[in-house]
């Protein structure tokens, strides 16, 4: 049985949660649940055995009613056209997703299974915002059994590196 950790509400608790999580990763594994854009999304390294599976549930769009973002969108519309203004929120969302992925895959020999759980990730304009090295390995799966088998096969192929 693996321990489940979650991102702490208090910034002062981040270090202790991370230390406990890392200790348990070295002693059989653990799960850490974080918020995209939260306390554990910037400047923290989950390389190697500290982040072997990244699951992003939903799409972390910024607040579309934020007046500053709306003004940026208006300026973009004026300078680059309506298509650029429309895609601004998609680009911001996928930047956050790519940063989350980058927390776990830190060097060329590192690896992690990536599960992007939202049907919108299958849209071509969203997939085009993924890095090419991720996009080429992307599979759109809607069946839990098929997804589970793919994750199992991924880790089976990597078992000598675990």
């Amino acid at each position: 049985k693996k321990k489940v950790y979650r991102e702490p509400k208090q910034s002062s608790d981040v270090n202790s949660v991370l230390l406990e999580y890392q200790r348990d990763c070295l002693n059989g594994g653990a799960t850490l649940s974080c918020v995209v854009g939260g306390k554990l999304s910037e400047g923290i390294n989950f390389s190697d055995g500290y982040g072997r599976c990244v699951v992003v549930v939903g799409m972390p769009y910024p607040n579309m009613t934020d007046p500053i973002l709306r003004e940026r969108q208006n300026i973009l519309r004026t300078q680059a056209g309506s298509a650029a203004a429309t895609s601004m929120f998609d680009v911001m969302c996928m930047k956050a997703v790519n940063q989350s992925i980058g927390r776990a895959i830190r060097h060329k020999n590192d690896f992690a299974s990536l599960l992007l759980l939202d049907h919108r990730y299958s849209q071509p304009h969203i997939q085009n915002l993924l890095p090419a090295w991720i996009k080429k390995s992307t599979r759109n799966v809607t069946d839990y059994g098929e997804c589970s088998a793919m994750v199992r096969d991924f880790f089976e192929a990597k078992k000598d590196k675990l």
Side-chain angles (χ1 to χ4, degrees), residues 2-3 5 18-32 46-52:
K2 299 182 189 316
K3 187 160 182 186
Y5 293 90
L18 282 176
L19 287 173
E20 287 181 43
Y21 168 73
Q22 290 173 334
R23 181 199 65 225
D24 285 346
C25 282
L26 297 172
N27 294 308
T31 298
L32 176 63
F46 293 109
S47 68
D48 301 317
Y50 296 119
R52 289 294 187 214

Side-chain angles (χ1 to χ4, degrees), residues 1-8 13-34 40 44-55 100 103-105 110-113 155:
K1 187 173 180 179
K2 299 182 189 316
K3 187 160 182 186
V4 177
Y5 293 90
R6 67 177 194 180
E7 184 171 300
D13 295 333
V14 167
N15 284 338
S16 63
V17 168
L18 282 176
L19 287 173
E20 287 181 43
Y21 168 73
Q22 290 173 334
R23 181 199 65 225
D24 285 346
C25 282
L26 297 172
N27 294 308
T31 298
L32 176 63
S33 175
C34 305
L40 298 177
I44 297 182
N45 180 352
F46 293 109
S47 68
D48 301 317
Y50 296 119
R52 289 294 187 214
C53 184
V54 176
V55 180
S100 296
R103 298 289 111 223
I105 302 175
D110 208 355
F111 62 91
S113 175
F155 285 109

Side-chain angles (χ1 to χ4, degrees), residues 83-151:
T86 302
S87 69
M88 182 182 95
F89 288 105
D90 289 335
V91 170
M92 293 175 75
C93 170
M94 292 307 293
K95 179 181 178 186
V97 170
N98 291 330
Q99 286 176 333
S100 296
I101 292 167
R103 298 289 111 223
I105 302 175
R106 304 296 287 178
H107 54 82
K108 71 176 185 154
N109 294 319
D110 208 355
F111 62 91
S113 175
L114 310 173
L115 304 177
L116 305 175
L117 304 181
D118 192 302
H119 72 279
R120 295 172 289 181
Y121 287 111
S122 67
Q123 297 173 348
H125 74 282
I126 295 296
Q127 287 191 358
N128 287 335
L129 296 172
L130 288 167
W133 62 274
I134 293 175
K135 184 180 172 187
K136 73 178 182 177
S137 301
T138 301
R139 306 291 179 267
N140 296 319
V141 179
T142 58
D143 178 74
Y144 173 80
E146 183 181 357
C147 180
S148 178
M150 290 174 77
V151 171

Side-chain angles (χ1 to χ4, degrees), residues 61-71 73 88-89:
Y61 279 99
N63 181 352
M64 295 182 188
T65 62
D66 181 294
I68 294 171
L69 291 180
R70 281 293 185 200
E71 186 57 29
Q73 190 177 39
M88 182 182 95
F89 288 105

